[in-house]
Amino acid sequence: MAYFSKTFGVIAGTPQDTKMGVEFMRKKGFDAVGIPTASNPEEQNMLQYQKADTLTQKVIAIIDEFHKKNIKSIMIYCNSLSAAIDFNLVENKYPSSYILTPLQSYRNLASKYSRLIVWAANAQSLKVIEQILYESNPSIRVIGVTLLPVVNAIENLMPPEDIFEKFNLANFLPKSFGAEGLVLGCTHFPYLKKILEEKLDVTVVDPMEEVLRDFVLRLNAF
């Protein structure tokens, strides 16, 4: 049986999204500490595409460090990291831990929407997200977009307004598609959620909000 610790160990791909994950959990009323698996988006991208086994072992080593501190609630605060590692291996190695990832939200999203735009950091992550959505709802329609340079801009804490203008996000949504939601398929992107909601005529969906809401509901059911 999984053991819930009040402090979450947050694992993400880079220092900035690890920090964002810690802040996200603290705003939701949990204690949190974080450890990244890489020092920047380029290193993380290289690990995901070229050294996935090494990346999986990095995640295992970080979870081991958390366990030494009796932290057994784990949040993998990164879509692309979750998609790249051997998650079954990680989950089976720690049956006593709650391990949450944003990928756990997409089955529910597929039942709520019929047309989505999914914005991911890289194509590897996008592929896994789309696969989950289509397996859960074969009739869903999805447009997928990847923009790693925006991740770099967020890592450098460029103001959201400047990112919106520089990357021409005003023209992000194809009008003819009739999207019901824009899914932030990278945990960096909630950094832009407020301006996206202000500027774009679409529901902006943060999968981590969905994951944590479901987790809290399960906890309260016990």
Side-chain angles (χ1 to χ4, degrees), residues 14 35 55-56 59 79 95 113 118 122 131 138 146 192 199 201 211 219:
T14 67
I35 300 176
L55 191 56
T56 299
V59 169
N79 287 263
Y113 297 94
V118 177
N122 60 37
Q131 183 175 350
T146 66
L192 303 171
K199 300 288 189 178
D201 184 24
V211 169
L219 278 184

Side-chain angles (χ1 to χ4, degrees), residues 70-88:
N70 204 33
I71 298 172
K72 295 188 177 181
S73 300
I74 309 297
M75 172 73 80
I76 300 180
Y77 193 80
C78 182
N79 287 263
S80 57
L81 175 60
S82 302
I85 63 173
D86 185 342
F87 184 73
N88 288 333

Side-chain angles (χ1 to χ4, degrees), residues 58-203:
K58 275 196 166 195
V59 169
I60 287 172
I62 292 171
I63 295 175
D64 284 342
E65 287 301 309
F66 286 141
H67 274 222
K68 289 175 185 176
K69 300 174 183 177
N70 204 33
I71 298 172
K72 295 188 177 181
S73 300
I74 309 297
M75 172 73 80
I76 300 180
Y77 193 80
C78 182
N79 287 263
S80 57
L81 175 60
S82 302
I85 63 173
D86 185 342
F87 184 73
N88 288 333
L89 174 64
V90 173
E91 194 172 42
N92 290 336
K93 186 173 176 60
Y94 301 101
S96 65
S97 286
Y98 284 103
I99 304 179
L100 308 181
T101 91
L103 298 184
Q104 293 162 343
S105 70
Y106 291 105
R107 295 192 186 282
N108 287 337
L109 290 178
S111 69
K112 295 178 181 178
Y113 297 94
S114 59
R115 290 178 178 266
L116 288 174
I117 293 179
V118 177
W119 183 14
N122 60 37
Q124 182 182 59
S125 176
L126 179 61
K127 177 185 176 182
V128 173
I129 293 169
E130 285 190 333
Q131 183 175 350
I132 296 170
L133 290 171
Y134 283 121
E135 285 177 350
S136 304
N137 179 4
S139 66
I140 198 170
R141 296 293 176 262
V142 177
I143 289 179
V145 182
T146 66
L147 275 176
L148 188 62
V150 174
V151 175
N152 288 306
I154 294 170
E155 279 287 310
N156 294 324
L157 299 179
M158 182 185 289
E161 296 80 7
D162 294 349
I163 293 175
F164 191 86
E165 293 300 324
K166 178 177 181 178
F167 293 96
N168 196 25
L169 298 183
N171 295 317
F172 198 49
L173 305 178
K175 304 294 184 185
S176 61
F177 182 62
E180 300 165 337
L182 169 60
V183 179
L184 303 180
C186 170
T187 47
H188 280 80
F189 295 158
Y191 180 81
L192 303 171
K193 189 171 188 284
K194 183 177 179 182
I195 193 168
L196 292 171
E197 289 175 330
E198 290 173 356
K199 300 288 189 178
L200 302 180
D201 184 24
V202 69
T203 299

